[in-house]
């Protein structure tokens, strides 16, 4: 039975490991003159830009996410219940969409600064907002919900008895907050921070729109501007090293610490008057800048040009996006279902380790994954070229630049996204149910169809939906690996924003935003049933 399980696990693990091995194997041949020049000119800037962006975004998401979670969980004020869930809406906005909206609105030639100049307030204008602080603000506005959600859950699960015990020992209110409440929430905060930093390292669209060179932009330029795939692989290996270092630091920071909250929750303090107004203004400002402003601006731009944009090319963009998203969602969810079943039936250490490796794909930035897949596939096609020609089996490039290669990249990248809901669904199934079915003579296949499948169907549907939405919004891997003529909504946004056509990019961006709201709406509905606070 265990060997049969390896038939699924081994190929999935191999598909994740091969791109990693491929990018690091590029160092077997090094152009010393090129790298000497690169070390003296470009590499220090790339390292500085990437690390600076991580520091700024990390500080921003912790400050905003933890601060908002603290206000929501420790105070009661008018509109708190609605704002508690409204604060996760920015997750529906792709970072690259937020980037071009901010440029269109706040740039020197944008409406805001033009209005300030007309009002004689030129001292408030800024000549160029394309700087690290603005990039970090844009990314913070869409990534803070990672920290907010996990910190909120941590604060809600804390026990009032632990806080009261610290107070009875003479701890000041400030010390109780820093050492007890924030201390118990630290593992959750670090986990949310790690997710935000992974997204920051993997981002391509936002930094490209702002002309802010990081490793992802450098990989793209090395491949498509300089046609040097080996240099792109070497740069990808450096970025991947940063990713692994970040993962190790996150694991070391959290360690094995867990803080379980038992008993009643701390009572919220009621806010009225000026304190309540100040909190509402603060939370409202975050929502205004991170969701309301980009949504409204996209609608205005889209309505102005909807007749020009709504044509056969737009239909093709939507069709290509849907085909890729549906195909990737079904493929990824199917593989994730197989892995979840394997985890349920097999307690082998090797199975657990294999699944852990298979889930590493989510840590691979899209640019790294693209070059890591293209290199081995190119080698495979080159190796089989003679055989194909002798047998007249079709075109020379039958995998590279195909939908199959792109779907494989999606599956590797988003397998963890699909695996999570299924793992949770299986963990809620009592072992007595399948055992009872087996005792009545039901075969394994029948137990799966009539016991497991109905119970995990909601988790399977959520897995398909989450992967579907993520694939629709995915830009770097699609941009680098798409078949000829297979532009998607995300690719079209990149092309238009590269030319400064922000208004024309509004309609495809609005489509992605609306689709991104679907899983958030489902999450809100589920949380409202599970949590009554």
């Amino acid at each position: 039975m265990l060997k049969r399980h390896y038939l699924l696990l081994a190929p999935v693990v191999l598909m994740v490991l091969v791109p990693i091995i491929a990018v690091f194997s590029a160092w077997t041949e090094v152009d010393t003159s090129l790298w000497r020049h690169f070390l003296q000119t470009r590499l220090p800037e790339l390292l500085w830009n990437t690390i600076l962006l991580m520091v700024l975004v990390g500080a921003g998401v912790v400050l905003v996410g933890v601060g908002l979670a603290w206000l929501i969980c420790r105070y009661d004020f008018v509109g708190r219940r609605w704002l508690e869930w409204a604060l996760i809406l920015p997750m529906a906005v792709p970072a690259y969409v937020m980037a071009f909206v901010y440029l269109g609105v706040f740039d020197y030639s944008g409406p805001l600064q033009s209005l300030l100049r007309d009002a004689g307030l030129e001292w408030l204008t800024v000549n160029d907002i394309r700087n690290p602080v603005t990039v970090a603000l844009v990314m913070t506005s869409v990534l803070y919900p990672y920290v907010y959600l996990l910190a909120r859950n941590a604060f809600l699960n804390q026990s009032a008895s632990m806080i009261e015990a610290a107070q009875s020992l003479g701890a000041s209110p400030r010390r109780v907050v820093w050492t007890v409440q924030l201390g118990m929430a630290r593992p959750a905060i670090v986990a949310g921070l790690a997710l935000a930093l992974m997204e920051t390292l993997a981002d391509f669209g936002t930094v490209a729109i702002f002309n802010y060179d990081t490793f992802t932009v450098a990989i793209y330029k090395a491949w498509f501007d300089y046609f040097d795939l080996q240099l792109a692989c070497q740069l990808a290996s450096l970025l991947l090293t940063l990713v692994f270092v970040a993962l190790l630091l996150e694991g070391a920071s959290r360690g094995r610490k867990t803080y379980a909250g038992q008993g009643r929750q701390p009572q919220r303090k009621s806010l009225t008057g000026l304190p309540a107004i100040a909190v509402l203004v603060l939370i409202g400002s975050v929502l205004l800048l991170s969701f309301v402003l980009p949504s409204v601006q996209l609608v205005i731009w889209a309505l102005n040009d909807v007749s020009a944009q709504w044509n056969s090319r737009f239909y093709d963009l939507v069709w290509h996006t849907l085909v890729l998203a549906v195909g990737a969602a079904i493929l990824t969810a199917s593989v994730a279902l197989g892995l979840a079943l394997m985890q349920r039936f097999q307690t082998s250490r090797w199975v657990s380790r294999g699944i852990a490796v298979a889930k590493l794909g989510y840590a691979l930035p899209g640019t790294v994954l693209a070059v890591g897949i293209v290199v081995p596939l190119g080698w495979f096609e080159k190796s089989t070229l003679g055989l194909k020609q002798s047998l007249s089996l079709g075109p020379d490039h039958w995998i590279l630049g195909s939908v199959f290669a792109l779907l494989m990249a999606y599956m590797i990248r988003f397998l963890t996204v699909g695996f999570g809901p299924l793992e949770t669904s299986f963990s809620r199934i009592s072992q007595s149910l399948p055992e009872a079915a087996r005792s009545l003579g039901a075969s394994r296949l029948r137990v799966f169809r009539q016991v497991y499948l109905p119970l995990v169907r909601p988790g399977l549907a959520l897995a398909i939906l989450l992967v579907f939405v993520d694939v629709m919004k995915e830009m770097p891997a699609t941009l680098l690996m798409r078949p000829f003529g297979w532009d998607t909504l995300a690719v079209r946004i990149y092309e238009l924003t590269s030319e400064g056509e922000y208004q024309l990019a509004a309609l495809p961006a609005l489509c992605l935003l609306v689709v991104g709201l679907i899983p958030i709406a489902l999450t809100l509905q589920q949380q409202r049933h599970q949590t009554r606070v």
Side-chain angles (χ1 to χ4, degrees):
M1 179 63 68
L2 188 59
K3 291 182 178 179
R4 202 184 312 168
H5 284 86
Y6 285 152
L7 293 178
L8 170 65
L9 183 59
V12 176
V13 171
L14 192 62
M15 282 191 288
V16 174
L17 290 179
V18 165
I20 299 175
I21 297 171
V23 296
F24 281 104
S25 66
W27 290 101
T28 55
E29 297 181 9
V30 179
D31 187 335
T32 55
S33 61
L34 173 64
W35 270 98
R36 188 180 299 110
H37 173 73
F38 202 77
L39 286 170
Q40 294 173 351
T41 56
R42 298 286 293 143
L43 188 59
E45 179 188 4
L46 293 177
L47 280 172
W48 169 252
N49 287 350
T50 303
I51 294 174
L52 177 62
L53 186 60
M54 289 180 64
V55 171
L56 292 176
V57 173
V61 295
V62 169
L63 181 64
V64 177
V66 176
L68 293 175
W70 178 262
L71 292 174
I72 290 293
C73 296
R74 292 295 175 258
Y75 298 97
D76 197 10
F77 46 88
V78 175
R80 178 191 62 81
R81 289 180 178 272
W82 182 83
L83 292 172
E84 181 176 12
W85 299 112
L87 285 170
I88 70 172
L89 290 175
M91 294 185 75
V93 186
Y96 53 83
V97 170
M98 187 77 76
F100 81 76
V101 170
Y102 268 56
L103 278 178
V105 174
F106 296 110
D107 205 5
Y108 186 79
S109 59
L112 180 62
Q113 296 209 50
S114 298
L115 183 63
L116 291 174
R117 287 193 299 272
D118 293 341
L121 300 175
E122 292 188 7
W123 59 277
L124 289 176
T125 61
V126 180
N127 290 333
D128 188 10
I129 66 170
R130 289 175 171 84
N131 56 66
V133 175
T134 309
V135 179
L137 287 174
V138 168
M139 300 194 72
T140 297
S141 65
V142 296
L143 295 178
Y144 81 82
Y146 287 110
V147 177
Y148 166 76
L149 281 173
L150 293 176
R152 172 192 167 276
N153 290 337
F155 288 143
L156 289 178
N157 289 327
Q158 289 177 0
S159 172
S161 60
M162 299 186 70
I163 299 173
E164 293 167 355
Q167 292 171 339
S168 68
L169 293 174
S172 64
R174 179 177 297 180
R175 188 176 181 187
V176 169
V177 171
W178 284 100
T179 60
V180 179
Q181 294 177 291
L182 288 178
M184 289 191 295
R186 193 182 77 173
I189 294 171
V190 172
L193 174 62
L195 289 173
L197 292 182
M198 290 301 103
E199 294 292 335
T200 303
L201 281 172
D203 180 81
F204 169 77
T206 308
V207 291
I209 289 171
F210 275 95
N211 294 324
Y212 184 75
D213 285 347
T214 60
F215 274 100
T216 53
V217 176
I219 293 169
Y220 178 82
K221 289 182 177 179
W223 188 355
F224 278 82
D225 290 353
Y226 306 125
F227 305 102
D228 194 334
L229 185 56
Q230 185 177 12
L231 176 61
C233 285
Q234 291 167 346
L235 291 173
S237 70
L238 296 179
L239 177 57
L240 198 54
T241 301
L242 286 178
V243 171
F244 288 154
V245 169
L247 289 174
L248 290 174
L249 290 176
E250 185 266 343
S253 177
R254 281 200 298 165
R256 296 182 178 272
K257 296 184 180 70
T258 57
Y259 300 97
Q262 299 292 335
R264 59 187 174 86
Q265 298 176 358
Q267 187 175 3
R268 289 187 173 93
K269 298 179 182 179
S270 294
L271 292 180
T272 57
L274 288 178
I277 294 175
V279 170
L280 288 174
V281 169
L282 176 62
I283 297 178
S285 300
V286 173
L287 274 177
L288 175 66
L289 293 174
S290 60
F291 183 74
V292 177
L293 173 64
S295 301
V296 172
Q297 186 61 66
L298 287 175
V299 170
I300 293 173
W301 280 341
L303 290 177
N304 287 338
D305 281 303
V306 65
S307 58
Q309 289 286 301
W310 206 271
N311 50 36
S312 59
R313 182 173 185 183
F314 182 76
Y315 298 149
D316 289 339
L317 293 174
V318 173
W319 172 249
H320 294 158
T321 305
L322 290 176
V323 168
L324 292 174
V326 170
I330 294 175
L331 173 64
T332 305
S334 300
V335 175
L337 178 60
L339 294 182
L341 278 170
M342 190 184 310
Q343 182 173 263
R344 176 77 176 188
F345 293 138
Q346 291 292 335
T347 57
S348 166
R349 179 178 58 184
W350 292 107
V351 169
S352 300
R353 290 178 177 177
I355 293 175
V357 172
K359 291 162 63 177
L360 278 177
Y362 192 67
L364 301 180
T367 49
V368 174
L369 188 59
V371 297
I373 289 177
V374 166
V375 169
L377 288 184
W379 174 85
F380 177 77
E381 285 193 344
K382 185 178 180 180
S383 301
T384 58
L385 181 60
L387 178 62
K388 286 176 81 301
Q389 289 178 343
S390 63
L391 297 177
S392 301
L393 292 179
D396 295 341
H397 298 290
W398 56 285
I399 299 181
L400 280 177
S402 67
V403 173
F404 169 77
L406 190 53
L407 290 178
M408 185 172 65
Y410 290 148
M411 192 275 291
I412 296 171
R413 179 82 167 87
F414 299 117
L415 181 60
T416 303
V417 176
F419 183 79
L422 288 165
E423 183 181 30
T424 302
S425 297
F426 274 104
S427 67
R428 293 174 179 170
I429 299 176
S430 173
Q431 192 64 40
S432 60
L433 291 177
E435 288 176 354
R438 291 286 290 172
S439 67
L440 294 174
S443 64
R444 286 184 177 271
L445 181 60
R446 189 177 179 186
V447 169
F448 169 72
R449 285 194 344 234
Q450 298 185 356
V451 178
Y452 281 113
L453 192 56
L455 293 175
V456 302
R457 189 173 289 128
L460 181 61
L462 181 59
I464 293 174
L465 177 62
L466 290 176
V467 176
F468 175 84
V469 173
D470 277 346
V471 171
M472 285 195 70
K473 297 190 293 185
E474 205 285 331
M475 177 185 285
T478 309
L479 182 66
L480 294 170
M481 297 184 61
R482 70 191 189 281
F484 180 76
W486 270 73
D487 288 350
T488 64
L489 292 172
V491 171
R492 184 58 178 162
I493 292 172
Y494 173 78
E495 292 174 346
L496 291 171
T497 54
S498 298
E499 300 170 358
E501 298 287 354
Y502 304 138
Q503 190 163 319
L504 295 178
L507 183 59
L510 193 60
C511 293
L512 295 183
L513 190 152
V514 172
V515 171
L517 287 173
I518 297 175
I520 291 179
L522 294 177
T523 302
L524 294 182
Q525 184 180 11
Q526 181 183 18
Q527 290 292 336
R528 285 184 182 277
H529 286 298
Q530 291 180 350
T531 308
R532 300 293 182 184
V533 292

